[in-house]
């Protein structure tokens, strides 16, 4: 199952400031939305669960990107 933060990024279709806009908390029983400080309506659990496949793809793509950056460096470094 994908991380809640990635589901929220997909729901809002933008980068999210998780220290001001949306505050997540984990009290030991799982991560949940503690505060929702954006103009868009807060999604239901069902809406976020529906985004699980997209969030998993995002996480996989980010992992590939991190691995490639680690192995090859930035494109700026490659051009030098």
């Amino acid at each position: 199952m994908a991380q809640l933060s990635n589901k929220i990024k997909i729901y809002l279709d933008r980068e999210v400031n998780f220290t001001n806009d949306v505050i997540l908390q984990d009290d030991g029983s799982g991560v949940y939305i503690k505060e929702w400080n954006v103009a868009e309506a807060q999604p239901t659990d069902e809406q976020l669960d529906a985004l699980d496949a997209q969030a998993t793809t995002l996480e996989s793509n980010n992992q590939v990107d991190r691995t490639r950056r680690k192995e090859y460096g930035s494109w700026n470094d490659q051009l030098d």
Side-chain angles (χ1 to χ4, degrees):
M1 181 170 253
Q3 294 180 359
L4 179 58
S5 58
N6 287 324
K7 292 178 186 180
I8 292 170
K9 287 177 188 177
I10 291 170
Y11 174 79
L12 293 174
D13 194 31
R14 62 182 166 89
E15 285 298 316
V16 179
N17 181 333
F18 286 102
T19 57
N20 294 321
D21 296 339
V22 178
I23 299 173
L24 302 178
Q25 186 167 335
D26 185 352
D27 59 6
S29 62
V31 179
Y32 63 93
I33 299 171
K34 180 179 179 185
E35 290 183 35
W36 186 265
N37 302 315
V38 294
E40 295 89 341
Q42 182 172 335
T44 63
D45 289 338
E46 291 79 20
Q47 287 173 308
L48 291 173
D49 288 344
L51 299 172
D52 191 63
Q54 290 174 282
T56 299
T57 300
L58 176 66
E59 291 172 5
S60 297
N61 290 345
N62 287 341
Q63 179 60 41
V64 168
D65 187 53
R66 281 190 299 273
T67 301
R68 287 184 180 162
R69 286 180 191 272
K70 187 175 169 183
E71 291 179 11
Y72 300 108
S74 72
W75 63 270
N76 293 327
D77 293 338
Q78 292 179 34
L79 290 175
D80 284 342

